[in-house]
Amino acid sequence: MNSPTGFMDFKRIENGNIPPLERITNFKEFHPKLDEKARREQASRCMNCGVPMCQSAIRLKGMVTGCPLHNYIPEWNDALYNGQFDMAAWRLLKTSSFPEFTGRVCPALCEKACNCGCPDLEDKSIFNGAVTIHDNELFIIEKAFSTGYIKPEVPAKRSGKKVAVIGSGPSGLAAADWLNRRGHSVTVYEREDRAGGLLMYGIPNMKLEKSIIERRIELMKQEGVEFVFNADVGKTISAEHIYNEYDAVALCCGAKKARKLAASGVETNGVMFAVDFLTDVTKCVVQTETALNKIGTEPTNEQIHKLLFEKYGIQVNAKHVVIVGGGDTGNDCCGSSIRLGAASVTQIEMMPCPPVERAKNNPWPEWPKVLKVDYGAEESIARFGKDPRVYETTVKEVISENGHITAVRTVEVEFKVIDGKRELVERPGTEKVLPCDLLLVAAGFTGCEEYTAQAFGVELGQRGTVSSVGEATPDLASSNGYATSKDKIFTAGDMHRGQSLVVWAIAEGRECAHQIDAFLRG
C-alpha cells in the first residue's frame, strides 16, 4: 500500500479554482493543478483497501456505484506516491482509454464510493475525506503526455478485418481505439467537421479544451485509425454501402434527440435546445481561437459573441436568459451565457431542491443526491448576487412579440399521486412572468436520432435507443449485450443505454469492442 498513515497525515486537497469573476472573462479551463509534491501526498492517502469500493462498480438497488471502467485505482495511486509515473500511467491505461477526458469531465463516481469518504465513519476527522482520485488520474495522464511516455502504438499485425464505427463520441472513440489495438482496420465516420461528438461540441471549452481532444485524435490517426468527417451516415453516406464494405459496424451515434418543452408558444425565435446552443457556442470558440492563434493572440468573449451572432443569429450579450433544466447541460448553458455577457440568467428545475445531506434511502456508497453548487451557479452568484436556480417550477407559456420571445410565464409544480399514478400538477396562484430574450431547453433527451438506425434496419426500443440481443456484461447496466438484431451490426454508448456519463460511454465502447472482436475472430 501507499504510506500507511497518509490518510491521517494529509487532508484532502483538490485542484484549485480560478475565482469566478476572473474566469468568466474567457473560455479557458479554470482548475490550476497541484505541484508534483502535493499530488504525491494526495496519492499517499489511498489505503489500498481490502475491498476497494472505488473500482468495484457494484450494483445497489439497480444502481451501479464506483468506477464503471474498474480502474486499478489503488495500484496507480501507489505508483504515483512512489514517483513511478510510467508505472502509474501503464496501470491507468490498462482499463481507461481516455483518462485525459474523464480526469476533466467525470463526476468521479469512484470518489463517492471511496472508503475514506464514507459519511458513516464515527470519526470523519481521522480520514479527512475521500481520496482525490479524479485529480490524481488527470495528473498521471498529463505527466505521461509531457514526458513522452504516450506515443503511437501501431499494431504489429493486422487481422484483415474492417470495422466501421459510426459516431466519434466517447463510446465510438473507445470502440475504435480498442479494435485498432486488436489489429482490425477501423474507420470512424463523423457527421461533424471534427471528432469527439459531444466531447467536442457538447461540453464547453472551460470544462474540456478542444486541443485535448485533438491531441488524442492525432494519436489515434498515427496508430492507424481512419476518420471521415462531414459524413452523415443515413443521409449523405449510404448505410448500405457501409454494411457491404465492412465486416462489422458499431453504431455509436449518441442520444441527441432533445426532449421538447411542453409549453404554449414555443415555436418562436429565441427558443432553442441547449445542446444546439452549446454546439454553436463551442464552434465559435474553436473558430475564433484557430483564427487568432495564427497571429499569437487570445480571443475575447466579445469576439466570440460577435461571431455567434453573425454566424447563427444568437444574441446573448445584455439579454435575459432562461434555462429549463437543472442538470449538467443546464449548468453549462449558465456558465456559457455569463461569459457571453447575459444581463441575467435563471435556471428552472421542476424537481424539488435536493437535501443538503444524504437522505436515509440514499446510503453510501451510492451517488449522493445532495445539493451542490456547480461552476455555473457559482459564477452566477458572483456575477449577479444570487443563485440562478429556481426549483419546483416550469415554463407554462412563451410570450412573444413580432415573432421573437420577450418573456416566459412560469408556474410552481409538484408531484402528487392521483388515482394511483404519480402526476405533475400546478400549484394555483403561483404564476409569474419573467423577462426572457433567449430560452434554452435543457430538459434531457428522449433517445437517439432515428434515421441512422433506420438506415441500417436495426430495431429501436421503447426508450428510443437501439435494441440489442445476447448476453450483457454483468457489470454494465446495459440492456442485452451489444449485438443488434441485424447481423454484424453492434451498438454502444448513449445510443444503446440512453443519456449517460462520458465514463459510461467509454466503458460501453470498450465492452462493445470486445464483443465485435470475438465476432470477427469466430
Side-chain angles (χ1 to χ4, degrees), residues 406-442:
T406 57
V408 292
R409 190 182 309 278
T410 66
V411 63
E412 293 183 14
V413 293
E414 61 182 311
F415 286 96
K416 287 187 176 181
V417 177
I418 301 175
D419 296 331
K421 296 182 179 180
R422 187 167 178 261
E423 297 184 9
L424 188 69
V425 298
E426 297 180 3
R427 290 176 180 157
T430 60
E431 291 187 6
K432 294 181 181 178
V433 175
L434 301 178
C436 178
D437 304 295
L438 178 63
L439 178 63
L440 302 176
V441 182

Side-chain angles (χ1 to χ4, degrees), residues 364-438:
W364 177 89
E366 287 183 357
W367 175 264
K369 301 173 184 176
V370 296
L371 181 66
K372 64 176 182 177
V373 181
D374 214 329
Y375 78 96
E378 184 182 37
E379 291 164 0
S380 181
I381 293 170
R383 174 69 177 82
F384 303 116
K386 64 176 184 178
D387 195 313
R389 297 169 293 183
V390 179
Y391 295 97
E392 295 183 286
T393 301
T394 191
V395 172
K396 184 176 182 178
E397 180 187 2
V398 173
I399 302 171
S400 61
E401 290 183 9
N402 301 320
H404 198 285
I405 186 172
T406 57
V408 292
R409 190 182 309 278
T410 66
V411 63
E412 293 183 14
V413 293
E414 61 182 311
F415 286 96
K416 287 187 176 181
V417 177
I418 301 175
D419 296 331
K421 296 182 179 180
R422 187 167 178 261
E423 297 184 9
L424 188 69
V425 298
E426 297 180 3
R427 290 176 180 157
T430 60
E431 291 187 6
K432 294 181 181 178
V433 175
L434 301 178
C436 178
D437 304 295
L438 178 63

Side-chain angles (χ1 to χ4, degrees), residues 426-480:
E426 297 180 3
R427 290 176 180 157
T430 60
E431 291 187 6
K432 294 181 181 178
V433 175
L434 301 178
C436 178
D437 304 295
L438 178 63
L439 178 63
L440 302 176
V441 182
F445 301 86
T446 60
C448 67
E449 295 169 286
E450 299 95 339
Y451 67 91
T452 302
Q454 291 172 348
F456 281 100
V458 298
E459 298 177 358
L460 296 177
Q462 293 182 345
R463 298 175 62 238
T465 54
V466 175
S467 300
S468 55
V469 296
E471 296 184 0
T473 304
D475 301 324
L476 295 178
S478 303
S479 51
N480 287 302

Side-chain angles (χ1 to χ4, degrees), residues 71-100 136-151 153 181 216 510:
N71 282 335
Y72 302 138
I73 294 167
E75 293 187 30
W76 44 256
N77 270 328
D78 178 72
L80 173 56
Y81 164 64
N82 287 295
Q84 300 169 327
F85 303 123
D86 288 357
M87 172 66 77
W90 178 64
R91 297 310 286 162
L92 174 58
L93 291 166
K94 279 288 184 182
T95 55
S96 180
S97 299
F98 313 118
E100 68 271 31
N136 293 356
E137 171 188 19
L138 182 58
F139 178 89
I140 291 169
I141 190 62
E142 290 301 330
K143 186 76 171 180
F145 271 108
S146 66
T147 60
Y149 177 82
I150 301 292
K151 51 184 176 293
E153 296 182 8
R181 293 176 187 277
R216 175 60 70 168
R510 290 172 64 93

